[in-house]
Amino acid sequence: MAKERDMVLDQYSSRVYKNRKSHMTQLEFAEKPDEVAANTRAIPGIITARGCCYAGCKGVVVGPMKDSVVITHGPIGCAFYSWSTRRNKAKPSYEGEPNFVPYSFCTDMRSSDIVFGGEKKLEEGIDEIMRLFNPKCIFICSTCPIGLIGDDVQAVAKRVEEKYGVTAIGYSCEGYKGVSQSAGHHIANNGLMRHVIGKGEEAPKGKFSVNLLGEYNIGGDGWEQERILKKIGYEVVSVFTGDGSYETIKNSHLADLNLVMCHRSINYIAEMMKTKYGVDWIKVNFIGVGATSKSLRMMAKYFNDPELTMRTEEVIAEELAEINEDMEYYKSKLKGKTAGIFVGGSRSHHYQMLLRDFGMETTIAGYEFAHRDDYEGRDIIPQIKADADSKNIEEITVERESGYEDRYSEEVMNQMRAEGVELDTYDGMLKDMKKGYMVVDDYNMFETDQLIEEYKPDIFFSGIKDKYAIQHGGVVSRQMHSYDYSGPYAGFRGAVNFGRDVSMSLYTNAWALVKPPWKVTPMIEGTLGGV
Ligand code: CFN
Ligand code: HCA
C-alpha cells in the first residue's frame, strides 16, 4: 500500500521526507483512521501554492463587500496584484447602491513612509475616500511592512469612526502572519463579528430566513444559489460576502439559519453567531446536482414545515427537468474520466460531488491551507488560540470532546437522524474518496508533477500558478478558483455550464498533441562546476 506516495516521498531528503510524509495520505480505510497533517508552516523554498494572510483577509473575506471600501495600507504591489483577480462578481441590488468592488484603494507606501511611519498618509487617504465616495464602512488591510514598522491601524480606524461616524475596521493582516491565507480569514471574520454583525435591527420579513456563509459569488455562483433559494421561498438575509454588503450583513444575526457553503474560510462566524445569537448552522454544498438537492432537503428538514418541504421537492423536480437532457449529454462525454483537484480549501472536496454527477472520479486531491477537520471531518474542529488583534495569531486543531451534533439544535437533529437523513455528508474530504486515492496537503509543484505521472488524470483542476505548467506536460487543466472566466458552476444550471466547459477542455486538448521543446532538445547549455 501507499506505493505511489512512497515513489514521491523517496525523492526527498530525509528532513523533507519526514515533514511531507505526514501531509500525504494514500487512503487505506484500515482500522486506524487515515490522517492528514495540515495548517503547519510550508517548508521554505518548496514552491508551495499557498497565498498569504493579507490575501485571505482582504482578497477573500472583506474584498467582496460592495458597499464598503477596502484600503490596502502598504506598497502598491499588494493592492495591484489583489485587484479584481478573484472574480467575486458584484452589482448594486437597488438603484443608487454603491459598488466599490471594481476599485483598488491603496496608501502607496514609499521608502520615506516606511522610515517615518504611514499613519498620517493612511488618514489622508481615508479623508480622500470620504470626500469622493462617502462609504458607510471602511476596511483597512495591512500588508507586511506595516507590521514591521508598527503603524497602529486600529487607532486610525477609531479616529476615522469618530471623525465621520462610519464603521472603520483596522485589520493587522500582514502577509507573513500565520501559515497561509487561513489566518487572514480568521482575522477578517473576527472583525466582522465585532464591528458589523449585530449592528442592524431590521428583522427578516419572510417565514424562513437564511444567511449564506462562505459564498463569494465567483463567476456568479452566489446568484444561482439565491435564485434557487428564493424560488423555494427562502429569504436570503445576507451573503458572506459575495455580492454582499455592510447594509445586509449588519442584520444577519436576525436570520433563522446559517448555511455554511465554504467550510474553511467562514466557519468561525457560524460558530460565533451560534454562541452569541443562537443562530443554528448547517454545512451545505451547492456544487453538484445531487449535492444541491441534498442540501435543499436538509434545509427543509431543519425548518420542518410541510409546505416548505413540498415546495422544495417541486423546485428540485422542476430544475432537474430543465437540465436533465444536457446533463445526460455531458455525462455521455465524461463518464469514466478521472480528475485531480488542488485548490485552496472547500472546493477540492465540493467539486468531487459535481464530477461524480458526470460519472467522473477524483483520484488525487488536496488543499493549500485547509485544517485537519476539512480532511478528516467530524471529530476535529479548529480552535483559535489568540485574539484577532494579537500579534501572535495561531490556529490549532484539537480533538472535539463532545458529539458533532451539539452545533445544531439537538431536537431537530435527532429527528433528522431518526428519519435517516445523512447529516455529515459534506464534512471532511477523506471519506468521500476511495481506497488507494491520494490526498496531499499544502501540495507543491514537484508533487503535482509526480502525481500526474503516477495517476495520469484526464484533467487537473488547479489555479493560475500551476495551470500552464501542467498543460505544457500535456494534461489539460482548468482553473477551479476563477473557472477560467466562465461560470456559474453552482446549483442546477451551473452544473450544466461545468459539464460543457469540462467536455470542451477534454475534447480539445491541444496540449496533448504537441511535444514540448524540452522533450525534444536539451534546453540548458553550459558546463557543470565551471570546468
Ligand atoms: S472562493 Fe473560496 S471556497 S473561500 Fe477559499 S476555501 Fe480561496 S479564493 Mo481561491 S477559489 Fe479557493 Fe475555497 Fe472557501 Fe476561493 S477553494 S483558494 S481562500 N477559496
Ligand atoms: C488567493 C486568491 C485565489 C488565487 C487563485 C489562483 C483566488 O489565494 O489569494 O491561484 O489561481 O481564488 O483568486 O485563491
Side-chain angles (χ1 to χ4, degrees):
M1 205 53 197
K3 183 169 73 69
E4 283 83 0
R5 184 182 77 156
D6 292 343
M7 277 164 70
V8 181
L9 287 170
D10 283 347
Q11 300 175 69
Y12 280 135
S13 68
S14 57
R15 258 178 75 189
V16 176
Y17 178 98
K18 198 160 163 256
N19 177 305
R20 292 305 300 154
K21 189 176 177 200
S22 61
H23 293 272
M24 295 174 72
T25 295
Q26 195 158 4
L27 293 169
E28 293 187 18
F29 296 108
E31 247 160 60
K32 192 173 161 290
D34 294 301
E35 286 184 0
V36 186
N39 195 31
T40 62
R41 248 165 234 292
I43 299 170
I46 205 158
I47 318 190
T48 167
R50 282 175 169 177
C52 70
C53 179
Y54 161 81
C57 180
K58 189 266 180 185
V60 174
V61 180
V62 297
M65 286 171 65
K66 60 189 169 191
D67 61 352
S68 308
V69 162
V70 186
I71 180 165
T72 297
H73 187 33
I76 196 73
C78 302
F80 183 78
Y81 285 107
S82 60
W83 183 15
S84 292
T85 49
R86 187 159 167 263
R87 293 200 70 239
N88 43 278
K89 291 192 170 193
K91 60 178 181 224
S93 310
Y94 56 86
E95 216 184 297
E97 188 183 31
N99 177 15
F100 300 117
V101 167
Y103 292 81
S104 180
F105 300 87
C106 182
T107 47
D108 184 20
M109 291 281 282
R110 303 288 178 98
S111 315
S112 61
D113 305 317
I114 298 291
V115 174
F116 297 107
E119 284 180 31
K120 196 158 166 276
K121 201 171 184 190
L122 176 61
E123 274 190 68
E124 282 168 7
I126 294 174
D127 286 339
E128 197 180 330
I129 288 168
M130 290 309 300
R131 217 169 38 243
L132 293 173
F133 299 103
N134 197 26
K136 293 196 182 85
C137 178
I138 296 182
F139 299 109
I140 304 162
C141 290
S142 308
T143 68
C144 293
I146 303 308
L148 301 177
I149 66 174
D151 276 2
D152 189 344
V153 293
Q154 284 80 17
V156 173
K158 212 158 168 233
R159 290 203 287 276
V160 168
E161 289 201 325
E162 280 158 13
K163 189 167 172 188
Y164 294 107
V166 296
T167 297
I169 307 176
Y171 281 124
S172 297
C173 56
E174 292 84 1
Y176 55 75
K177 270 196 178 159
V179 302
S180 69
Q181 291 94 316
S182 187
H185 302 151
H186 181 59
I187 290 174
N189 284 194
N190 272 4
L192 290 179
M193 192 64 201
R194 201 171 298 159
H195 300 279
V196 183
I197 298 164
K199 266 199 167 175
E201 285 162 7
E202 206 179 306
K205 291 168 202 70
K207 199 168 162 198
F208 312 106
S209 58
V210 295
N211 298 308
L212 249 177
L213 266 54
E215 174 43 61
Y216 300 96
N217 204 29
I218 308 301
D221 273 357
W223 289 332
E224 171 63 3
Q225 289 162 47
E226 278 189 76
R227 181 187 70 78
I228 300 165
L229 293 173
K230 283 178 185 163
K231 191 171 170 187
I232 292 174
Y234 289 105
E235 177 177 347
V236 180
V237 174
S238 69
V239 182
F240 287 65
T241 53
D243 195 30
S245 63
Y246 170 81
E247 277 303 321
T248 52
I249 286 179
K250 72 182 191 302
N251 297 317
S252 57
H253 61 298
L254 300 170
D256 296 321
L257 178 68
N258 278 332
L259 308 173
V260 186
M261 175 63 186
C262 169
H263 301 174
R264 177 68 269 133
S265 61
I266 205 125
N267 45 17
Y268 314 100
I269 282 184
E271 297 251 348
M272 289 188 277
M273 275 172 89
K274 170 76 182 159
T275 310
K276 192 164 172 189
Y277 301 107
V279 185
D280 286 328
W281 58 266
I282 55 173
K283 284 183 176 180
V284 290
N285 175 20
F286 291 117
I287 303 295
V289 174
T292 302
S293 307
K294 198 175 265 184
S295 297
L296 294 173
R297 288 185 176 125
M298 274 175 66
M299 290 170 63
K301 286 279 178 196
Y302 173 84
F303 284 103
N304 200 22
D305 175 276
E307 226 170 276
L308 183 77
T309 306
M310 209 173 73
R311 185 68 191 136
T312 302
E313 291 306 329
E314 266 170 27
V315 170
I316 292 174
E318 259 173 54
E319 295 284 327
L320 290 180
E322 192 189 305
I323 62 166
N324 192 27
E325 203 179 314
D326 288 335
M327 288 299 289
E328 284 306 315
Y329 175 72
Y330 293 123
K331 202 170 169 179
S332 73
K333 296 269 167 211
L334 300 176
K335 202 166 184 292
K337 307 269 186 210
T338 59
I341 311 184
F342 288 81
V343 277
S346 283
R347 286 176 185 203
S348 301
H349 179 203
H350 286 171
Y351 273 84
Q352 298 194 18
M353 314 301 156
L354 180 51
L355 288 165
R356 227 164 248 173
D357 288 339
F358 293 104
M360 288 179 70
E361 276 297 314
T362 306
T363 53
I364 39 176
Y367 302 119
E368 287 170 28
F369 51 75
H371 299 204
R372 277 183 61 197
D373 59 314
D374 300 301
Y375 292 106
E376 296 165 36
R378 54 184 301 161
D379 294 325
I380 309 279
I381 53 158
Q383 289 229 330
I384 284 66
K385 244 189 188 166
D387 186 83
D389 299 331
S390 149
K391 294 272 183 265
N392 305 311
I393 181 156
E394 188 184 342
E395 296 176 66
I396 54 166
T397 49
V398 294
E399 300 286 328
R400 183 185 271 289
E401 279 169 22
S402 54
Y404 185 61
E405 298 78 19
D406 61 356
R407 297 289 146 186
Y408 309 113
S409 53
E410 199 60 46
E411 206 182 311
V412 177
M413 298 311 274
N414 283 338
Q415 191 191 331
M416 287 166 84
R417 218 172 299 115
E419 288 172 19
V421 179
E422 283 179 61
L423 296 174
D424 296 326
T425 313
Y426 308 119
D427 193 37
M429 174 202 275
L430 296 192
K431 66 178 176 302
D432 283 320
M433 294 183 72
K434 293 188 179 162
K435 201 170 164 175
Y437 291 179
M438 184 98 96
V439 171
V440 180
D441 174 66
D442 184 18
Y443 60 95
N444 57 56
M445 202 62 228
F446 169 72
E447 287 162 8
T448 302
D449 282 346
Q450 295 288 309
L451 290 170
I452 289 176
E453 283 281 306
E454 285 164 28
Y455 280 84
K456 300 196 173 19
D458 294 298
I459 187 164
F460 195 96
F461 296 97
S462 61
I464 190 74
K465 287 167 276 197
D466 31 8
K467 173 185 167 106
Y468 295 99
I470 293 160
Q471 293 204 148
H472 289 167
V475 176
V476 75
S477 176
R478 285 200 67 85
Q479 292 185 66
M480 193 59 97
H481 304 256
S482 68
Y483 301 163
D484 279 303
Y485 325 108
S486 182
Y489 287 161
F492 299 104
R493 292 181 187 168
V496 174
N497 293 338
F498 182 78
R500 179 201 61 212
D501 290 352
V502 174
S503 303
M504 270 190 329
S505 305
L506 274 170
Y507 287 90
T508 51
N509 183 13
W511 300 96
L513 304 175
V514 288
K515 250 208 156 61
W518 63 89
K519 287 203 171 157
V520 187
T521 40
M523 299 297 284
I524 301 170
E525 284 174 20
T527 45
L528 263 181
V531 242

